Amino acid sequence: AGLGTYGWDYCVNPEQLGTTTWDYCVNPEQLGTTGWDYCVDPMYASGIFKFGTVSGADFELGYHWTSFNCSIQAKINNEGYVALAHETDNMNSIPPHLDAEQSLNYFKVYWDGDGAYPSPANGCGKCRLNINADACICPTKVKDEIVFTAQPASAEDIISSLYIGAIPPDIAGPSGTFISQPCDGFTVHFPQTSNGVYTRETIFELNHPYHGTKLFLKNTKSTVYLEGWEHATTILEAEDALPGGPSVPNLVLANETNRNRFSGAGYMHFEGAGQGYLEWIVSVPENIDATISFRYEDSWETTNVVDILVNDNVISPEGTKLGSTGNWDYWMDSESFLVPLNSGDNTIQLKYSDPWTGPRVDYLKIEWPTIPSSYSFRNAPHFMSLSQDYNDEGEGETTARDAYYETDAVLDHYHYHPNTAPFICIRLIQRLGISNPSPGHIEACADAFRTGTYSSGGQIFGSGDYGSLEAVTAAITLEPEATSAVLDADPGYGRIREPFLQPIQVLRSLEAELVPLEHHFELWELFDRLDQEPHRFKTVFSHFLPEYIPDVGPTIVPGYVSPESMVVNMPSIIAQLNGLMSLVRYGISDCFVDDGMSLGFGTYPGNGNCLDDGSMQRASAFFSYIPEATTTAGLVQELNTLLCAGRLSQASQDKIVDAYDSYSPAYDEAGAKLRFAYQLVMSTPEFHTSTTVKEDTTKSRPGPSISSSDAGINDYKALIFLFLSGGVDSFSMLPPHTCEGDLYEKYVDIRGGLSNETDPGIALPKQNLLEIPTNNPEHVCSSVGLHQNLQFIDELYKREDAIFVTNIGLLQFPATKEDYRDTNVRLFAHNAMQLETMREDLEGEKYGTGVLGRMKDKLSEAGFACNAYSIAGSQISLLGSPGVASSPIALSSNGMQKFIPQYEASWWTDGDLTPDLTPYILRLNNATAVDSSFMAETWSAKVSNAIYQHKKLYDDLEGDTVTANFKDASGRKSQLCKQLEMTARLMATHESRNAERDFFHVGIGGWDLHSKVIEGLESRFDDVNHCLKAFVEEAEHLGLWNNTVLLQFSEFGRTLNPNSGPEGDGTGKGCDHAWGGNQFIIGGGLKGGQVLGQYPLDFTENGPLVLSRGRIIPTTPWDAIWSGVSPWMGVSAEDMDHVLPMKKNFDSSALFTKDMFFNL
């Protein structure tokens, strides 16, 4: 109810029939007895309830009881998801979320039998195809059936068969309403009236066998059965009927009226047509019952009465009321009637007897009998009504209460899901000590999570409640796998310790003590040094991925994971060793400094000198531990216990003892030698892992692993893999512009409208796009639009140094709606699709390798001097087969720290007592035996490689500068700019490194824009544009632009259809995970200025490539890009299948060639 804005019409309630234009509006909240009050919906006139809209201040589309025929239909898309559609005779304006043609409120259902369902792809069976041809509309019947007719065998049988909850018997009725029968593991509650017979109202009470939660379940299975039609609904236009009678109805054509919304060429108007009629001839092959109704319009307040005759028989002796449709140009279906039709021709007549102006008639609708189908699904309960609120006053049926219930149900589903306990246990065990826990350890932890208890040594831990963390922690730490020393000998046992834990441990174990006048200390900027810091993460996936396999070491072949290895690379190793040595020599201070950059973990305390003499003058805290041992061996064993948990091998202890005894400092002998011992122990693999080590005394670890060859044999080329992680909304980067089939208009429609409108969508207006010609006669568009913040890429395109590819993505084979689920990847998942985009091997033929690594392997075998650099942490894209080529090198975007094993920081040269630690570190991390710890070998290989690689690259890069300005207007460099600047600096050293092929991985996150996508892309594209401009300027300055190609990737595109935004009110809209997207490639040698690939011809779900919400199946695979770039880098035709193992799955027409990409 509310205040009306016009007219004297009032609706009435079921208690009171209106007889004049002054009828009162009666509403449960307000009796509208005076003024301009009126009820909006339902409209009520002359005893007829009608659904619809009424113009004015109120606009409600709620749902109410109606005397007309109505039903709920199922709308099924190609993926088998279902949306509800309301169908009733007198709905002239169905709300979009319940309209069969508009609703996108799809939800997953569980189809019975073999999982088959009707879909547009299989012709919809006997259901009808909707207007957009992207879904099937099926009649439904809901059948509630009894499940158990006798006592179930067990609680498990009940859980696996019943899904509908019941009200507890003591609440459902007074005492005696139910008769209870205890059974083994459950209780049966019979309604007293059932006399102990199992009915649909029988209630089962039990504790869930898995998680123990008390449940009350109803002995009912509710199933939705789909029906169909033997014949499609028949629409017979009024203008095609035979008019007759003393006064013939008038034909009104479309060009003769301001009315619209009618079908066909016009409508028939009974104006002054008393005793007039319309007659249709309907032919049927056999006797059949059909349902007929008429679509009409009448905006006047009065109700017209018509007679309907079938084969001259009046259907309703009292006549059929056609009530007011409530407003101008609102069309409505009349009441429907089930009528018999005879074999052959039948006449259906609509006759109007009143001499006054009668209704306008649009068409006769004939619906044929429904027939059952073989499709059905479980009717799952839900709390939220689909009758939405349309304003803040709460019109509709949605309530906060129901939202809370629905949310609680979802959280309970996740919380109590059988996968939850093992999932959490694996993650926690990985964090607390074992990267690859055994199934037995996981099961013990999961059981503790489930039961809430864990027993060890005669003591029970936990509260007994599901999910007890006390029980889980006990299971993780006290299970034999976590405590048995025997397992230390298992090569796959243990883990590499997180970089952040080492400084924390030594500060605790060696009893850090504040200097006088200091009240606290802090470890400074660990994120920049160790790639890890509390409460600070690179991405939403934390510091590292749980499924990460290291890029070096013996874990690769068996596929053992080592999550921490993801942040163990050359920059972090050098920074970690520098920081740990600084803690020992100078305490927590800033004394390790190189070119103005502090390399230690501390900050300037405001006073003191940097002296490696034990004075700790500049420290805020220092190690105060005093060993108890009186011998060297005893000291080393004591430190072994404190820092390595007793795992330090005898061979390593002997090496440290020998080094300690051979060291003779100039003064402060006891203190200097103790600090020396600390540093040696902190250099061992046993300190950096939770494992033991067996050294292989027959071999030494190889030296530098940077490839080189005689300069000048081959030309130099650089390939840069730019990864924008999070999933770029690339249809905002490159939307259609001028295209066939009104494709831009379709783009605007599916994106919810233009972004500059009052109620904005996320489609970019043409005036905000940089129009570029596709220069591709086979493309559906003659031009596409580039985001206006990517002006420099537009410039590159115009000078033919850029190529775009449309609708490209990760593909294992040419996918369709029917078979896309067969792809060997978790579609729409960040971590899975990021990994597989970098690997390009969904069939696992080249396990543990990346596409750039395989390319580097083959080029190395062919005699090219190849190197691979990641400026974005450890990345599998660069990883090749073990032993084939040099390992990839990870570098920091902040530049290279100087490695200072022997550091002279003071003006007093005798003040630095620590000898050069480099040879000691290398000896302590020598080659290990084949049955030694995988984790220790991985660490030792990484630290040795880091030292060798660092020395070479630091010397090459020292003093190197760039001429381009990578700083933004504020004088800062973004992460992307830093990475591309480091890339340019490395490219500049290619001659001194004798490099012929360089591979670079750079990338930034932040593209997962589920909200505020328009604003978010503007700032991010600004950054990309500026950084690429600076990089290209530098490459041109170096004379290497024609030898460089940069390829942009992202794990997936975004949904074309936006979400509702974080507030749910349509503001700040974003878009969600999808699949296909658009890509750019830049380079000086490109045959640029062309758009390859192809947009879909249709962005709606009726298109052959579009899944729900505008998730597009790619038509061009990543393999197409690599097929063109790999030969340019020098990969032979014979080696292409090794580099691209999925290439064979695609026809050559789907792949690009070197000739298509490059000027030769």
Side-chain angles (χ1 to χ4, degrees), residues 90-281:
N90 59 345
M91 270 191 172
N92 64 48
S93 182
I94 304 175
H97 61 281
L98 284 173
D99 179 69
E101 301 300 336
Q102 300 182 66
S103 175
L104 294 175
N105 283 345
Y106 287 107
F107 52 90
K108 183 176 182 178
V109 301
Y110 296 91
W111 295 94
D112 293 331
D114 61 0
Y117 54 87
S119 69
N122 61 27
C124 288
K126 294 298 184 180
C127 300
R128 73 172 176 87
L129 192 66
N130 70 335
I131 293 175
N132 291 329
D134 59 5
C136 301
I137 311 298
C138 305
T140 62
K141 278 189 177 179
V142 177
K143 187 175 181 181
D144 291 341
E145 303 167 278
I146 186 172
V147 177
F148 293 105
T149 57
Q151 180 177 314
S154 65
E156 285 78 6
D157 284 350
I158 298 173
I159 291 297
S160 63
S161 303
L162 301 182
Y163 299 94
I164 301 175
I167 298 174
D170 58 340
I171 298 176
S175 178
T177 302
F178 286 85
I179 300 173
S180 300
Q181 177 182 313
C183 301
D184 185 14
F186 58 92
T187 300
V188 185
H189 301 282
F190 296 99
Q192 188 178 39
T193 55
S194 70
N195 297 317
V197 176
Y198 284 84
T199 68
R200 289 193 291 111
E201 304 305 319
T202 302
I203 297 174
F204 292 93
E205 177 185 351
L206 70 158
N207 294 325
H208 196 287
Y210 178 73
H211 48 71
T213 304
K214 175 75 73 176
L215 299 175
F216 294 91
L217 297 173
K218 192 175 181 181
N219 188 27
T220 300
K221 177 184 178 182
S222 184
T223 304
V224 177
Y225 292 91
L226 300 189
E227 297 185 323
W229 294 277
E230 189 66 46
H231 306 286
T233 298
T234 301
I235 300 295
L236 299 177
E237 297 290 346
E239 60 269 28
D240 295 331
L242 176 66
S247 300
V248 178
N250 302 300
L251 170 64
V252 182
L253 297 175
N255 60 354
E256 299 172 347
T257 179
N258 292 327
R259 282 175 164 79
N260 51 37
R261 302 185 186 179
F262 52 83
S263 66
Y267 57 84
M268 301 299 290
H269 188 192
F270 281 85
E271 182 177 11
Q275 304 302 318
Y277 65 83
L278 295 173
E279 184 176 283
W280 291 266
I281 304 297

Side-chain angles (χ1 to χ4, degrees), residues 812-924:
Q812 181 180 351
F813 50 80
T816 66
K817 285 185 176 181
E818 288 71 38
D819 62 10
Y820 77 91
R821 288 189 179 93
D822 296 335
T823 302
N824 293 340
V825 69
R826 296 193 306 277
L827 290 172
F828 321 128
H830 285 293
N831 56 342
M833 295 194 73
Q834 285 177 8
L835 175 69
E836 298 303 339
T837 296
M838 297 178 195
R839 289 184 64 245
E840 264 294 279
D841 181 24
L842 287 172
E843 294 169 356
E845 292 186 22
K846 312 297 178 185
Y847 186 79
T849 64
V851 60
L852 298 180
R854 295 193 297 273
M855 196 184 306
K856 180 168 65 74
D857 284 351
K858 286 303 176 183
L859 290 174
S860 297
E861 291 177 342
F864 289 89
C866 302
N867 291 297
Y869 303 94
S870 173
I871 325 295
S874 300
Q875 299 293 344
I876 195 172
S877 62
L878 300 170
L879 191 59
S881 299
V884 175
S886 60
S887 299
I889 300 169
L891 295 170
S892 170
S893 61
N894 294 318
M896 295 189 67
Q897 280 195 23
K898 187 174 183 180
F899 183 43
I900 315 181
Q902 183 182 28
Y903 183 66
E904 296 181 357
S906 69
W907 45 267
W908 181 26
T909 56
D910 291 335
D912 298 297
L913 298 178
T914 301
D916 185 356
L917 291 175
T918 304
Y920 298 99
I921 295 173
L922 293 175
R923 281 198 293 269
L924 288 168

Side-chain angles (χ1 to χ4, degrees), residues 342-474:
N342 302 321
S343 174
D345 291 342
N346 297 264
T347 61
I348 299 179
Q349 191 177 94
L350 184 149
K351 185 175 182 180
Y352 180 60
S353 303
D354 198 298
W356 299 102
T357 297
R360 297 159 185 83
V361 178
D362 187 13
Y363 57 66
L364 163 67
K365 179 168 68 174
I366 306 175
E367 296 175 285
W368 307 102
T370 60
I371 57 174
S373 75
S374 59
Y375 304 117
S376 62
F377 58 86
R378 181 168 68 85
N379 188 21
H382 66 94
F383 294 95
M384 291 295 294
S385 169
L386 291 178
S387 178
Q388 297 177 339
D389 289 347
Y390 276 81
N391 61 34
D392 294 336
E393 296 177 2
E395 293 176 344
E397 298 173 8
T398 54
T399 65
R401 178 203 64 186
D402 292 343
Y404 294 145
Y405 286 161
E406 194 78 50
T407 303
D408 281 344
V410 171
L411 293 177
D412 282 347
H413 175 77
Y414 288 131
H415 183 56
Y416 293 115
H417 195 283
N419 289 346
T420 298
F423 175 86
I424 290 175
C425 285
I426 292 172
R427 299 297 186 265
L428 290 179
I429 295 172
Q430 285 184 321
R431 296 280 55 75
L432 296 176
I434 306 172
S435 292
N436 298 275
S438 71
H441 197 176
I442 298 169
E443 182 180 11
C445 174
D447 285 343
F449 189 101
R450 177 177 61 83
T451 62
T453 61
Y454 179 79
S455 177
S456 178
Q459 184 171 348
I460 296 177
F461 299 88
S463 63
D465 296 324
Y466 178 85
S468 168
L469 286 182
E470 177 185 333
V472 168
T473 304

Side-chain angles (χ1 to χ4, degrees), residues 1064-1102:
D1065 59 0
T1067 62
K1069 292 176 181 175
C1071 45
D1072 305 314
H1073 304 180
W1075 196 351
N1078 306 316
Q1079 177 196 29
F1080 65 80
I1081 307 164
I1082 61 175
L1086 287 177
K1087 191 181 292 182
Q1090 57 178 327
V1091 177
L1092 302 176
Q1094 189 61 272
Y1095 284 133
L1097 293 173
D1098 192 345
F1099 289 138
T1100 64
E1101 286 185 44
N1102 63 323

Side-chain angles (χ1 to χ4, degrees), residues 671-694:
K673 295 185 75 166
L674 179 60
R675 294 192 297 277
F676 181 49
Y678 287 165
Q679 294 174 78
L680 293 178
V681 174
M682 292 179 195
S683 303
T684 64
E686 291 94 335
F687 173 74
H688 292 276
T689 68
S690 62
T691 63
T692 59
V693 177
K694 294 180 182 179

